[in-house]
């Protein structure tokens, strides 16, 4: 085997200098800068004692934790806890609903199947601004129960329980599970719930990882829903609280960047922990069929 073949990769790298290799390096550096520069700037500004919003700095010139201390005095950690509670409960409920709905749509045929799928997809087509007022009225007076969910975590958790995106990707993945496995299990007397729990879910781990990552980010980044569901500023989530802090004239850019870094970390941690599941899920979906 030649020396060049030992260093070849899927991108076509080779140890010999060529115009194509230089071009690839330049393009990779440009992409890296575009995606990494904002993140590095947030870190730099969050730890910098004097942050100038008109200048971009890739490292803190005068490192300090003052921005985090002021953000804590403004109640940022309480808002952070609100966000964690909502995203935890909302994500668990969303995954449970999506799994059950996807299993029914993928493995069972019934009258009105297409209509049900279309209704699920409508949740992706309607922007939040369109349903904000009707949703606010429903949360203030829940139909048939006559109770108000405003000012409670359930006012944010329940509306995010149904998301057409997770149902769609799970449905398409579960359709590809061989029916021979299901038929063999039924001969052994396996029921519906056990079929879902013991057979379908273990085979659906890749798509569960994809649904978890996107579901977490969807709920964590909610802005309008927590705003209309809140009765008091103490009910705000971190994303809403950051917009409120931005309008506070006593708060400088460093405090806002510290809050933005706090808001960014959970999504980053979830992605890093589940990136393998995301890659497996995307790869599995691309190679099926």
């Amino acid at each position: 085997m030649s020396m060049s073949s030992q260093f070849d990769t899927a991108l076509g790298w080779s140890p010999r200098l060529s115009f194509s290799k230089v071009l690839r390096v330049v393009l990779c550096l440009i992409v890296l800068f575009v995606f990494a520069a904002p993140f590095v700037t947030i870190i730099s500004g969050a730890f910098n004692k004097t942050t100038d919003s008109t200048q971009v700095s890739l490292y803190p010139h005068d490192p300090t934790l003052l921005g985090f201390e002021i953000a804590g005095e403004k109640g940022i950690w309480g808002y952070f806890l609100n966000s964690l509670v909502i995203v935890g409960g909302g994500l668990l409920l969303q995954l449970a609903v999506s799994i059950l709905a996807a299993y029914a749509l993928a493995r069972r045929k019934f009258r009105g199947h297409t209509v049900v799928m279309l209704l699920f997809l409508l949740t992706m087509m309607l922007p939040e601004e369109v349903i904000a007022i009707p949703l606010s009225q429903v949360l203030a007076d829940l139909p048939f129960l006559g109770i108000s969910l405003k000012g409670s975590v359930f006012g944010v958790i329940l509306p995010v329980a149904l998301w057409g995106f997770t149902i769609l990707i799970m449905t398409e993945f579960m359709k590809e599970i061989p029916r021979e496995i299901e038929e063999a299990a039924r001969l052994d007397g396996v029921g519906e719930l056990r079929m879902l729990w013991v057979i379908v879910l273990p085979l659906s781990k890749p798509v569960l990882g994809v649904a978890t990552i996107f579901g977490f980010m969807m709920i964590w980044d909610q802005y309008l829903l927590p705003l209309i569901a809140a009765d008091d500023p103490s009910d705000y989530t971190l994303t809403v609280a950051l917009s409120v802090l931005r309008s506070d004239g006593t708060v400088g850019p460093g405090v806002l960047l510290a809050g933005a870094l706090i808001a960014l970390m959970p999504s980053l941690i979830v992605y890093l922990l589940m990136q393998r599941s995301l890659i497996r899920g995307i790869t599995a979906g691309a190679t099926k069929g």
Side-chain angles (χ1 to χ4, degrees), residues 34-279:
V34 170
F35 285 96
F39 179 70
V40 175
T41 302
I42 290 176
I43 297 177
S44 172
F47 290 97
N48 207 343
K49 186 174 183 179
T50 56
T51 302
D52 187 355
S53 59
T54 62
Q55 298 180 356
V56 176
S57 176
L58 298 181
Y59 60 91
H61 299 284
D62 190 6
T64 181
L65 295 177
L66 182 61
F68 294 92
E69 294 176 2
I70 298 177
E73 294 173 358
K74 295 291 183 178
I76 200 75
W77 298 113
Y79 302 128
F80 182 77
L81 180 60
N82 289 346
S83 295
L84 287 181
V85 172
I86 289 172
V87 77
L91 183 60
L92 288 176
L93 188 58
Q94 184 182 105
L95 289 177
V97 172
S98 299
I99 290 170
L100 295 174
Y103 178 73
L105 291 169
R107 313 302 293 182
R108 295 291 171 266
K109 293 298 182 181
F110 53 89
R111 185 173 297 178
H113 177 279
T114 305
V115 176
V116 173
M117 192 64 182
L118 179 61
L119 291 175
F120 286 144
L121 293 177
L122 283 176
T123 62
M124 301 171 56
M125 301 176 185
L126 295 176
E128 291 182 344
E129 294 78 8
V130 173
I131 63 174
I133 295 178
L135 181 60
S136 177
Q137 294 177 342
V138 170
L139 293 178
D141 186 10
L142 204 62
F144 304 111
L145 297 178
I147 61 176
S148 175
L149 296 179
K150 298 193 69 173
S152 69
V153 294
F154 298 104
V156 185
I157 290 177
L158 292 181
V160 300
L162 181 62
W163 191 28
F165 176 76
T166 53
I167 294 175
L168 177 63
I169 61 174
M170 284 189 181
T171 299
E172 294 303 315
F173 190 93
M174 290 182 182
K175 282 181 180 179
E176 301 298 330
I177 297 177
R179 293 195 174 272
E180 291 78 8
I181 299 177
E182 182 179 340
E183 293 170 357
R186 292 194 182 281
L187 292 177
D188 293 334
V190 176
E192 291 290 348
L193 291 179
R194 189 180 176 193
M195 178 80 68
L196 173 62
W197 184 258
V198 178
I199 297 178
V200 176
L201 280 184
L203 295 175
S204 302
K205 284 183 179 179
V207 76
L208 287 175
V210 175
T212 298
I213 293 176
F214 282 96
F216 181 94
M217 297 178 64
M218 173 264 196
I219 300 173
W220 184 263
D221 293 337
Q222 284 288 322
Y223 174 79
L224 190 57
L225 177 58
L227 185 62
I228 65 177
D231 264 347
D232 187 81
S234 61
D235 300 328
Y236 288 163
T237 58
L238 188 54
T239 51
V240 179
L242 287 177
S243 67
V244 175
L245 285 177
R246 189 172 181 271
S247 61
D248 190 343
T250 63
V251 173
V255 179
L256 292 175
L257 290 176
L261 182 59
I262 294 172
L264 177 65
M265 292 310 296
S267 297
L268 183 62
I269 292 173
V270 169
Y271 173 77
L272 292 176
L273 291 176
M274 305 197 69
Q275 60 176 330
R276 290 186 179 180
S277 297
L278 177 63
I279 295 173

